[in-house]
Amino acid sequence: MNIPIINSIVSYLRGDGAVILPEIELVLFGLGILVIDFWIEQKEKYMNAGLALAGTVFSAFTLWRLRAAVVARGEFAGFHDSVVVDPFFLFFSVLFLAATALVILLSVKFLDIEREQEGEYYALLLFACVGMMLMASGIDLIVLFLGLETMALSFYVLTGFLRREKRSNEAALKYVLLGAFSSGILAYGFSILYGLSGATSLGGITSALARRENLVHVVALSRLPSAQGQQMHDLLARQLPIALNFDPLTLQLLPVLAFVLVTVGLFFKVAAAPFHQWAPDVYEGAPTPVAAYVSVASKTASFALLLRLFTSVFTPSQKTSQEQWMYLIAGVAVASLTWGNLAALTQTNVKRLLAYSSISHVGYILLGLVAWNKTAFTGIAFYLFAYVFMTAGAFAVIIVLRQKGLIGEELEDLNGLYQRSPAAAVLLLIFMLSLAGIPPTAGFMGKYFIFLSLIETHHPVLAVFAVLYIVPALYYYFRIVVHAWLKQPGEAPRPVITSAQAVALGVAVFVTLAAGLYPEPFTKLAQYAFGQ
Amino acid sequence: MDFFAHHILSVVLFTPLAGALLMLFIPRENELAHKIAGNIFGVLGFLVSLPLVRWFKPEWGGFTFQETADWIPSIGAKYHLGLDGISLLLVMLTTFLGMIAILSSWSAIHLRTKEYYILLLLLQTGMIGVFVSLDFFLFYVFWEVMLVPMYFLIGVWGSDRRLYAAIKFFLYTLAGSVVMLLAILALYFYAPVLAGGTRTFDVPTLLAAAQHFSDPLKVWLFWGFFFAFAIKVPMFPFHTWLPDAHTEAPTAGSVILAGVLLKMGTYGFIRFSLPLLPSDPLLRHKIIQIVIVLSIIGIIYGALVCLMQKDMKRLIAYSSVSHLGFCTLGIFALTPNGLAGSVLQQINHGISTGALFLIVGVLYERRHTRMISEFGGLATPMPNFAAIYLIISLSSLGMPLLNGFIGEFTILQGAFQVSKAWAAWGSLGVVLGAAYLLWLYQRVMFGPVTQFANEDLPDLNLREYATLVPLVILAFWIGIYPKPFFALIEKPVENIVRQVNPDFYKAEHAKLPPAELPAAAAEMK
């Protein structure tokens, strides 16, 4: 057998193709869904979900094989060093796939009720996942930006997927406008980075920036009125006369500007205060499974991108520059904690409440960035891991509540959930405890690592801030619990849990509890993500 | 049997949990089965804890029945249990009061019976876990986990303002415990790394390491732990959650709250706070002064507020503030008498106040009110009840031959050795305690029957006897022959005082009459 086209495909898959094989599979399945959707009867549209699910399983299996390859020969890159397969990518991709699978399982019945059961929906979920995986695997600004936009565009459409629903349309529009705005800021930051270094690969930018920092140092030295200063001045005059005209302050300003623009753009994406305004509206208007997806996966993916940049381009080469950007991040973290927690106190819509609570979770994760040591890396990875499952679980309960004739998003709709569906109420309690950070749940372990890293890096004030915000957080999470457990049920019907929803809930609650009761394997996994 | 002997603490710890899990499988509609199962597991929980007393060797001052297993090796958290005399008494108090609290709920709870008993059993496991954990991580997990069942006990089965009281209880305790979490993490981080490069959460190891910390660090750690325990105890000014929670909780919840939950605070003081006192005598003196002043304010303030209460349950709740003030006074006197008295008084308070809450529960089940003004002259329709109530009141106010006297007397003795003023203020608290408890008794029990509804109140039934009589027996036992109780805690108390207040024993030796030595020397010649 020697068919040229097959041969070229095989050789491609052995080379560069292997690096993005999980993404390729998802794209193929997504395209497949779009095609097959034409032949599927309206009442059999749920088969699209099965296909999408199969896509995630295939992709996850490929990740498993890639992991073996990474174990065997270390991390490897493709496409002229613009996409990499390393533990970081593997860890985050597994998270994205898990989130995607959970959302697919939760969507089927929801779309039936909304009478929007379409193939495009599942295809878009897969495409968004592809974008997220590229955000985790890209080590080139172009790839990263493309990944980000692939994800964001899919999300804009998904948010407005309920065409007949005003709120959904409004949310989509808001999301598009603010998303485009923030992408613009991010792109501006990227362009400055490119201008500074003449490279788009993260490695190239990193070394160019390091050289530049040395140059700034030398120029600053040459201005000193000492003998050494004179020496430096002479050296520059011989080797790089143009540098004598540079102003050290301006030289320093551009990398700072790039840093600020990139981080602000990403703060928009992760919904950190004060760049969070879109989140509550989008969560409230979007179809609930999409809200869960935005909350869980887009946030995690943006954090993956942020971490990728921070571990390479913005890695502090000097102690002083680290302190400078730490202040910015610590400020945003504290703002997110404060704003998220306080605004959540008064919400009456559960989705809005979860939106504000997710802002406060961003605050905790950013505190891990501030600490920036080994424990903090473990903490960030663990926190994101726990966050994906517990938040997906919390949204899942809300989705279960969505019945024909009942929206089920207001706190009042939860009244007496315990009498109507004890299992849902118990699950809701577990997710709320985990979100609040009460042991023995995954949420507590995530917070544990973050707090420990703050103590290790001598940030006691931030640590006290962070722990004390657990108290208001518990208050608003328990407002949900009070409605579900302690209020009398009204007219609302008993929620019926489909088997797909049951599987999603079961997975979410299993991980939430297992990572709290026996965190050892999950800790190892989190450490693996950062190559520890 | 061998397995049982080696894992006795795990068995004691998880028997209630196993009971709760088994009860999940009993159908919801079968209320009676839940009641029976709940009581069986309550009694079983107490029975499996009895061998602890039998096998415990008071001469050995350290931790016994230790069990260790790896839990989270990557951070050094272990499943490590152990027991010394102090925690033994508290564990026995927990299992005993738990059994009684479960029995006392038989006819009081009709709503969601299944969940009620499951939560009570979960609570048992949480509380026992706090007392037997020798690993800070494990300790924290139990400390927090226990809040959830208590929240629901108050929130579902409480009286009118139950939602407010429940969340207030949760938030107050949580605020303290998250700060404690930071203190634990700091202790964990600043302690030297073990051989092999791992860290540990082991309580004895960390507390031993803390002895070598600098004083400022110790002071920070001390306050970090202090808030958690002070809120739990509760000390003045952190006490405001207590009257609400105690008053709104169902009877069994109040018994457990007052009897056991508050003791977690005092236990924490003894076990974790005392070793963190700074070694500089001046600094330490300052801290102790603050804590003692708060304790004394608690004693007096709690008692004065009691005099003003119109609600029986609220009165007894405030009396806890006063009584727990004695316990903290005894602890921070840092003398063997003070500490031993404090531990015994914690047990006494569990017995007396637990019984007082049961008594209010008895009245509440009959009249569905707790207002003092609704009662009067109850001694006529309920003579046996009157007798038991009187004994319990006297035990609570510190009448000789009853348990309260032994505890308060020993505490005051211990305080007196340090400062006469402390003892004087404490004694004032005893007097006020007699005032509010006797006045309450007088208003409720004596005189003519004021309300028509009270004329035919039935006296105690068999089940109520079964809950109250064991407590009365214990009250007499401790009051007449407290020696076995003191024997259990003598060694650990001595160890603690030697560690945190070594000057005390030096001073004691200096005071010994020097006469004997010359006599002996003369004989030798």
Side-chain angles (χ1 to χ4, degrees):
Chain A
M1 286 282 278
N2 202 353
I3 305 163
I5 186 157
I6 301 261
N7 282 348
S8 65
I9 288 179
V10 165
S11 69
Y12 178 74
L13 287 182
R14 289 227 173 98
D16 280 349
V19 180
I20 55 162
L21 192 56
E23 287 95 328
I24 291 177
E25 285 170 2
L26 284 184
V27 171
L28 287 179
F29 270 93
L31 295 175
I33 289 172
L34 287 181
V35 174
I36 293 173
D37 190 42
F38 285 115
W39 284 282
I40 296 184
E41 295 281 326
Q42 189 58 41
K43 56 178 188 241
E44 284 168 350
K45 292 273 188 191
Y46 63 88
M47 284 160 65
N48 288 324
L51 210 52
L53 212 54
T56 58
V57 172
F58 263 90
S59 186
F61 178 72
T62 315
L63 281 178
W64 179 252
R65 299 290 304 272
L66 283 179
R67 183 190 156 274
V70 170
V71 169
R73 58 189 175 113
E75 55 186 62
F76 50 93
F79 298 100
H80 303 287
D81 276 348
S82 59
V83 181
V84 70
V85 174
D86 59 356
F88 183 87
F89 161 72
L90 293 174
F91 173 80
F92 278 99
S93 298
V94 167
L95 271 191
F96 301 147
L97 285 175
T100 311
L102 286 179
V103 170
I104 293 170
L105 285 172
L106 292 170
S107 298
V108 181
K109 188 183 172 203
F110 189 89
L111 293 183
D112 270 341
I113 295 173
E114 299 286 355
R115 292 181 290 123
E116 293 284 2
Q117 191 72 271
E118 307 288 348
E120 296 87 42
Y121 178 89
Y122 300 102
L124 283 168
L125 287 183
L126 294 187
F127 294 151
C129 188
V130 170
M132 291 187 264
M133 285 163 85
L134 285 175
M135 285 163 79
S137 67
I139 46 170
D140 186 287
L141 291 185
I142 308 284
V143 176
L144 289 174
F145 193 73
L146 281 178
L148 180 70
E149 285 305 290
T150 311
M151 173 193 83
L153 285 173
S154 313
F155 274 140
Y156 302 148
V157 183
L158 284 170
T159 305
F161 207 77
L162 305 182
R163 288 165 298 162
R164 291 180 279 261
E165 184 100 18
K166 256 191 199 156
R167 284 192 311 168
S168 181
N169 286 315
E170 180 196 327
L173 191 62
K174 273 186 187 157
Y175 198 13
V176 171
L177 291 178
L178 276 167
F181 182 59
S182 60
S183 294
I185 295 178
L186 185 68
Y188 190 24
F190 279 179
S191 70
I192 293 179
L193 280 180
Y194 174 68
L196 286 175
S197 59
T200 56
S201 78
L202 298 188
I205 297 174
T206 310
S207 55
L209 284 186
R211 282 200 304 277
R212 193 183 165 83
E213 204 161 329
N214 284 336
L215 179 69
V216 170
H217 196 58
V218 172
V219 171
L221 274 181
S222 73
R223 300 287 166 97
L224 289 180
S226 63
Q228 196 199 6
Q230 190 58 43
Q231 209 179 343
M232 281 291 165
H233 188 90
D234 296 344
L235 189 81
L236 276 182
R238 260 180 283 129
Q239 303 210 336
L240 194 65
I242 193 169
L244 289 176
N245 303 328
F246 290 162
D247 177 15
L249 202 68
T250 334
L251 278 180
Q252 263 175 328
L253 212 58
L254 278 173
V256 172
L257 187 64
F259 169 76
V260 171
L261 288 171
V262 169
T263 42
V264 165
L266 286 172
F267 284 158
F268 262 109
K269 300 285 181 200
V270 297
F275 312 104
H276 64 279
Q277 308 291 5
W278 58 271
D281 290 338
V282 170
Y283 284 26
E284 192 188 356
T288 314
V290 174
Y293 204 31
V294 173
S295 165
V296 162
S298 112
K299 198 160 283 194
T300 314
S302 306
F303 262 113
L305 176 47
L306 193 71
L307 288 167
R308 183 69 93 182
L309 290 176
F310 270 64
T311 45
S312 55
V313 176
F314 298 129
T315 298
S317 55
Q318 287 169 345
K319 187 116 186 26
T320 48
S321 70
Q322 178 182 2
E323 273 169 9
Q324 281 165 4
W325 59 256
M326 282 313 160
Y327 282 117
L328 177 76
I329 295 180
V332 173
V334 171
S336 304
L337 282 175
T338 311
W339 210 318
N341 278 319
L342 297 188
L345 288 175
T346 56
Q347 300 303 319
T348 55
N349 180 299
V350 181
K351 278 158 81 180
R352 280 189 90 82
L353 194 155
L354 287 176
Y356 281 109
S357 97
S358 81
I359 294 166
S360 78
H361 287 295
V362 169
Y364 283 112
I365 299 170
L366 287 177
L367 283 179
L369 278 183
V370 174
W372 201 249
N373 64 1
K374 261 186 167 182
T375 317
F377 293 143
T378 314
I380 293 170
F382 202 111
Y383 204 113
L384 284 170
F385 186 86
Y387 176 80
V388 164
F389 287 95
M390 64 195 184
T391 311
F395 273 104
V397 176
I398 309 301
I399 292 166
V400 166
L401 284 183
R402 177 79 174 92
Q403 304 288 328
K404 281 215 169 64
L406 175 72
I407 305 288
E409 287 168 12
E410 295 294 321
L411 276 177
E412 303 290 322
D413 297 333
L414 284 168
N415 279 359
L417 178 64
Y418 182 76
Q419 277 92 343
R420 290 189 277 141
S421 168
V426 171
L427 293 176
L428 187 68
L429 174 67
I430 292 171
F431 295 130
M432 289 302 136
L433 288 173
S434 181
L435 284 167
I438 304 291
T441 55
F444 167 71
M445 286 309 297
K447 286 198 169 70
Y448 159 85
F449 284 114
I450 301 280
F451 297 155
L452 181 61
S453 68
L454 285 173
I455 297 235
E456 284 176 353
T457 49
H458 305 287
H459 290 102
V461 181
L462 283 180
V464 171
F465 249 106
V467 294
L468 284 181
Y469 271 122
I470 293 182
V471 178
L474 185 103
Y475 175 74
Y476 60 73
Y477 289 126
F478 263 59
R479 281 180 68 209
I480 298 181
V481 172
V482 163
H483 278 274
W485 282 74
L486 306 181
K487 297 265 160 119
Q488 287 307 312
E491 301 288 293
R494 292 173 62 93
V496 186
I497 306 180
T498 66
S499 49
Q501 288 171 340
V503 171
L505 279 169
V507 170
V509 80
F510 173 79
V511 175
T512 307
L513 279 181
L517 284 170
Y518 188 60
E520 183 64 14
F522 301 91
T523 314
K524 285 269 188 303
L525 185 68
Q527 287 170 341
Y528 172 75
F530 285 89
Q532 293 173 34
Chain B
M1 203 60 207
D2 216 29
F3 176 85
F4 181 68
H6 284 118
H7 298 86
I8 174 78
L9 274 184
S10 292
V11 172
V12 174
L13 177 58
F14 290 117
T15 303
L17 180 68
L21 291 179
L22 283 178
M23 283 182 68
L24 284 177
F25 297 105
I26 304 178
R28 182 179 312 280
E29 294 72 32
N30 200 343
E31 258 190 41
L32 187 66
H34 284 293
K35 284 181 181 174
I36 293 173
N39 277 288
I40 287 176
F41 285 110
V43 174
L44 199 62
F46 177 62
L47 287 182
V48 293
S49 69
L50 280 178
L52 290 177
V53 184
R54 181 109 181 85
W55 296 338
F56 190 79
K57 294 189 179 56
E59 314 82 57
W60 161 247
F63 293 103
T64 49
F65 307 122
Q66 291 203 34
E67 283 174 47
T68 320
D70 271 346
W71 180 24
I72 321 175
S74 53
I75 64 171
K78 280 191 159 73
Y79 173 77
H80 185 187
L81 308 180
L83 203 65
D84 70 351
I86 298 173
S87 32
L88 172 70
L89 275 183
L90 290 166
V91 168
M92 294 312 295
L93 180 74
T94 310
T95 55
F96 180 68
L97 277 184
M99 174 179 76
I100 287 185
I102 290 175
L103 181 60
S104 78
S105 319
W106 189 279
S107 58
I109 304 297
H110 299 293
L111 176 78
R112 301 199 202 173
T113 323
K114 175 178 185 168
E115 293 79 7
Y116 180 82
Y117 286 102
I118 289 180
L119 287 173
L120 268 182
L121 289 171
L122 286 180
L123 189 62
Q124 282 290 100
T125 292
M127 293 185 302
I128 298 172
V130 167
F131 293 131
V132 298
S133 297
L134 283 185
D135 183 283
F136 269 112
F137 202 87
L138 193 65
F139 168 80
Y140 186 77
V141 168
F142 281 122
W143 178 275
E144 292 271 273
V145 145
M146 171 226 87
L147 296 177
V148 180
M150 196 69 221
Y151 169 84
F152 282 108
L153 282 177
I154 301 175
V156 178
W157 294 274
S159 36
D160 305 337
R161 289 165 69 235
R162 55 180 179 268
L163 291 185
Y164 169 76
I167 195 71
K168 190 172 179 184
F169 159 77
F170 204 143
L171 293 183
Y172 264 67
T173 322
L174 187 68
S177 41
V178 292
V179 178
M180 175 172 77
L181 173 64
L182 279 192
I184 291 176
L185 292 178
L187 194 56
Y188 169 75
F189 171 62
Y190 285 106
V193 179
L194 294 180
T198 54
R199 297 189 170 276
T200 177
F201 277 104
D202 190 57
V203 169
T205 316
L206 283 186
L207 289 181
Q211 296 313 307
H212 308 292
F213 286 0
S214 68
D215 271 354
L217 180 60
K218 272 185 172 178
V219 173
W220 279 110
L221 289 175
F222 177 85
W223 289 119
F225 279 101
F226 177 82
F227 285 109
F229 301 142
I231 290 173
K232 201 85 180 183
V233 167
M235 290 179 84
F236 179 85
F238 307 106
H239 66 279
T240 54
W241 65 268
L242 177 133
D244 288 314
H246 281 54
T247 312
E248 303 303 321
T251 302
S254 306
V255 172
I256 299 281
L257 261 175
V260 186
L261 251 73
L262 306 189
K263 302 335 182 276
M264 294 159 101
T266 44
Y267 171 79
F269 276 140
I270 296 175
R271 177 80 75 228
F272 308 120
S273 288
L274 289 186
L276 292 172
L277 281 170
S279 42
D280 175 19
L282 272 177
L283 202 56
R284 187 167 64 187
H285 188 65
K286 246 189 221 164
I287 291 179
I288 287 179
Q289 206 104 52
I290 296 173
V291 182
I292 294 278
V293 166
L294 289 181
S295 306
I296 291 175
I297 294 178
I299 295 175
I300 306 290
Y301 170 83
L304 289 176
V305 175
C306 279
L307 287 170
M308 295 299 298
Q309 294 306 314
K310 298 190 176 72
D311 181 326
M312 283 180 85
K313 219 170 170 185
R314 218 172 165 80
L315 190 154
I316 296 164
Y318 271 112
S319 82
S320 292
V321 178
S322 181
H323 282 135
L324 267 293
F326 279 104
C327 293
T328 45
L329 175 66
I331 293 170
F332 284 92
L334 297 186
T335 56
N337 275 335
L339 263 172
S342 172
V343 174
L344 192 69
Q345 183 62 11
Q346 289 168 33
I347 308 299
N348 292 338
H349 176 261
I351 295 167
S352 311
T353 308
L356 281 173
F357 276 120
L358 288 175
I359 280 166
V360 179
V362 166
L363 290 180
Y364 187 79
E365 271 185 49
R366 284 166 174 67
R367 283 292 318 278
H368 293 283
T369 176
R370 302 178 307 246
M371 288 296 144
I372 298 171
S373 55
E374 289 286 315
F375 298 108
L378 291 189
T380 318
M382 307 171 75
N384 297 338
F385 173 74
I388 286 185
Y389 182 12
L390 185 65
I391 296 171
I392 296 295
S393 285
L394 293 177
S395 113
S396 182
L397 63 83
M399 177 87 167
L401 282 188
L402 283 162
N403 58 352
F405 171 74
I406 308 287
E408 283 176 359
F409 182 81
T410 326
I411 290 175
L412 291 178
Q413 198 185 0
F416 188 84
Q417 286 169 308
V418 186
S419 156
K420 296 189 175 59
W422 296 354
W425 283 106
S427 313
L428 182 61
V430 179
V431 176
L432 287 171
Y436 63 75
L437 279 167
L438 288 180
W439 192 34
L440 173 70
Y441 189 81
Q442 183 196 346
R443 280 180 291 173
V444 173
M445 304 306 287
F446 287 160
V449 180
T450 48
Q451 300 258 344
F452 178 70
N454 293 339
E455 272 180 5
D456 305 314
L457 286 187
D459 209 338
L460 297 175
N461 63 28
L462 200 58
R463 184 182 52 81
E464 287 159 349
Y465 277 120
T467 58
L468 286 167
V469 169
L471 293 169
V472 170
I473 293 172
L474 261 180
F476 273 114
W477 180 12
I478 298 180
I480 294 170
Y481 189 61
K483 195 163 164 257
F485 294 88
F486 278 126
L488 286 179
I489 50 182
E490 191 180 15
K491 270 281 179 194
V493 162
E494 194 190 317
N495 288 344
I496 293 169
V497 175
R498 263 188 209 292
Q499 189 191 356
V500 298
N501 193 10
D503 300 345
F504 178 81
Y505 283 101
K506 276 184 216 152
E508 281 290 288
H509 284 302
K511 265 192 240 162
L512 281 181
E516 289 163 31
L517 189 66
E523 240 171 58
M524 279 176 72
K525 277 176 191 169

